[in-house]
């Protein structure tokens, strides 16, 4: 007899209480780099985020065997290490998406194919890296045929989700899928009741070493009905047009309650380019955890303004900043390397 799949799964808001955070250690490829100096820079960047998170909640880190010594050298005591092979270190994307429901804790196991079969990516190990968090957490596995990554969705915790056409409808991710099919699958797995479609992500993230447009670098809910949006104010940067388009789309949208969204502009850093071209530096790519926000800093004139906006958006939480430039040089930010496991609501058995 087949056991029926539990129903009623919902993805809580990132602002809700966490049981722990999950991360993966940089260990190979372009993320670790080709020189000893580049490798140390990557390790230091990941460790800075991990140690900041571990000040506020438990942290579990996946680490390949050949990097265990380096990880132990840099990570704070109390961080739990899980020895496992990896291709890359973006656990927001390769780990599961945790949900809660009448059956307890669930974990959506999306299909991962290297951000739409990017020619530089490998995913033999990353395609199954979510198994570690699923098994350790004891979550009910929810298998999904959708090729998706955690950075490709963002929720208010009340059934409203942000996605991008360039990710979920990418023909190298989900050939032939329609908006309706994606929305139905998000409803089944993460409890989506209103899906807001943005056309694309930022310019750099849409180029060779990007994700093809993850939403978590563009916009993020801070509460139901409230959303932060990356605001590129300099018309010289091609993201200025994208910022305007995103704000127009969100301005016309309604959430799962049928209400309009309150949009807060989060300024882009003043720097426009690096050695590789237009930057996609974004303060939107922050991580909210128990009692704190780990935010990106870029040694930029806009750092202080962004930090003040984040402090106002998340009252009562400490805003901790880390230098995110080494992360963005490798293709992502603070949110991209962290994945929350929500705490289950306390049961009242009386």
């Amino acid at each position: 007899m087949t056991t029926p799949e539990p129903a009623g799964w919902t993805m809580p808001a990132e602002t809700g209480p966490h049981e722990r955070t999950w991360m993966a250690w940089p260990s190979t490829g372009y993320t670790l780099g080709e020189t000893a100096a580049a490798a140390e820079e990557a390790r230091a960047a990941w460790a800075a985020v991990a140690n900041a998170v571990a000040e506020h909640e438990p942290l579990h880190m996946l680490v390949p065997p050949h990097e265990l010594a380096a990880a132990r050298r840099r990570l704070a005591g109390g961080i739990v290490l899980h020895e496992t092979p990896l291709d890359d270190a973006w656990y927001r994307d390769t780990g599961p998406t945790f949900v809660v429901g009448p059956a307890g804790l669930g974990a959506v196991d999306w299909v991962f194919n290297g951000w739409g079969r990017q020619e530089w990516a490998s995913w033999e190990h990353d395609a199954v890296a979510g198994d570690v968090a699923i098994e350790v957490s004891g979550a009910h596995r929810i298998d999904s045929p959708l090729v998706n990554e955690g950075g490709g969705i963002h929720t208010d915790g009340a059934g409203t989700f942000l996605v991008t056409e360039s990710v979920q409808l990418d023909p190298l991710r989900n050939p032939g899928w329609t908006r309706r099919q994606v929305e139905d699958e998000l409803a089944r797995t993460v409890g989506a009741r209103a899906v807001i479609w943005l056309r694309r992500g930022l310019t750099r993230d849409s180029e060779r070493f990007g994700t093809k447009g993850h939403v978590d670098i563009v916009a993020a809910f801070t509460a139901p009905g409230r959303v932060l949006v990356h605001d590129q104010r300099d018309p010289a940067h091609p993201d200025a047009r994208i910022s305007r388009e995103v704000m127009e789309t969100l301005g016309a949208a309604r959430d799962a309650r049928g209400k309009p969204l309150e949009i807060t502009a989060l300024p882009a850093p003043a720097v426009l380019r690096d050695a590789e071209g237009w930057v996609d530096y974004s303060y939107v790519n922050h991580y909210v955890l128990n009692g704190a926000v780990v935010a990106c800093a870029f040694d930029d004139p806009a750092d202080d303004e962004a930090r003040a906006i984040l402090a106002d958006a998340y009252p009562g939480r400490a805003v901790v900043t880390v230098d995110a430039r080494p992360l963005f040089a490798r293709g992502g930010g603070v949110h991209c390397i962290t994945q929350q496991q929500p705490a289950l609501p306390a049961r009242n058995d009386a």
Side-chain angles (χ1 to χ4, degrees):
M1 179 178 179
T2 302
T3 302
E5 176 75 20
W9 297 113
T10 60
M11 181 180 176
E14 195 173 304
T15 53
H18 297 180
E19 181 71 22
R20 60 175 64 96
T21 290
W22 289 89
M23 292 179 64
W25 186 255
S27 57
T28 189
Y30 75 96
T31 303
L32 195 62
E34 297 180 355
T35 67
E40 280 302 292
E41 180 184 63
R43 294 174 185 130
W46 262 256
V49 175
N51 292 337
V53 170
E55 289 286 327
H56 298 274
E57 68 185 47
L59 178 73
H60 287 232
M61 178 78 74
L62 278 62
V63 185
H66 68 278
E67 278 289 321
L68 278 170
R72 289 183 176 128
R73 185 172 65 250
R74 286 195 171 272
L75 294 174
I79 294 176
V80 180
L81 306 185
H82 300 274
E83 185 176 340
T84 188
L86 293 168
D87 296 294
D88 221 320
W90 311 96
Y91 207 60
R92 171 71 53 179
D93 296 345
T94 60
T97 295
F98 287 102
V99 293
V100 298
L105 183 69
V108 183
D109 188 22
W110 312 108
V111 177
F112 179 74
N113 74 348
W115 301 279
R117 301 188 179 277
Q118 298 278 44
E119 53 87 16
W120 46 264
S122 61
W123 56 93
E124 174 188 0
H125 302 302
D126 283 354
V128 294
D131 291 352
V132 176
I134 295 172
E135 292 168 6
V136 171
S137 67
H140 178 91
R141 180 189 298 270
I142 305 162
D143 289 311
S144 174
L146 185 70
V147 178
N148 189 40
E149 303 92 36
I153 59 175
H154 205 284
T155 185
D156 64 352
T160 310
F161 282 77
L162 301 174
V163 299
T164 55
E165 294 178 7
S166 58
V167 170
Q168 281 79 20
L169 299 183
D170 174 14
L172 293 177
R173 281 180 169 99
N174 299 300
W177 282 59
T178 64
R179 281 193 181 195
R180 179 59 184 270
Q181 287 174 310
V182 172
E183 290 172 2
D184 287 347
E185 182 62 5
L186 292 176
R188 181 184 76 86
T189 54
V190 292
R193 296 187 294 117
V195 179
I196 301 172
W197 289 86
L198 306 181
R199 187 173 64 87
R200 54 163 295 172
L202 300 185
T203 300
R204 176 77 161 262
D205 193 38
S206 303
E207 294 174 349
R208 183 186 178 198
F209 290 107
T211 69
K212 303 184 185 179
H214 272 184
V215 75
D216 70 348
I217 202 172
V218 179
F221 285 110
T222 62
R226 297 181 180 179
V227 62
L228 295 173
V229 177
H230 179 74
D231 184 18
Q232 177 52 257
R233 299 170 178 173
D234 194 319
H237 197 303
D239 285 344
R241 177 179 55 81
I242 295 170
S243 289
R244 289 195 301 272
E245 181 181 312
V246 169
M247 290 186 190
E248 289 171 1
T249 299
L250 294 176
R254 295 294 184 270
D255 65 14
R257 305 168 302 171
K259 296 183 178 181
L261 302 176
E262 177 184 324
I263 299 169
T264 299
L266 195 55
V271 63
L272 301 181
R273 301 180 69 92
D274 64 9
E276 303 299 323
W278 300 110
V279 299
D280 56 359
Y281 293 170
S282 172
Y283 300 107
V284 169
N285 200 263
H286 57 278
Y287 179 55
V288 186
L289 64 157
N290 295 342
V293 178
V294 180
C296 299
F298 303 97
D299 191 24
D300 189 272
D303 283 358
D304 289 341
E305 182 184 357
R307 181 171 182 161
I309 292 172
L310 290 172
D312 185 62
Y314 302 106
R317 297 180 194 258
V319 179
V320 181
T321 58
V322 297
D323 185 353
R325 288 171 295 180
L327 298 174
F328 276 82
R330 290 161 171 80
V334 169
H335 195 257
C336 304
I337 65 174
T338 51
Q339 178 62 274
Q340 70 273 9
Q341 178 185 326
L344 289 174
R347 293 181 57 183
N348 183 3
D349 297 323

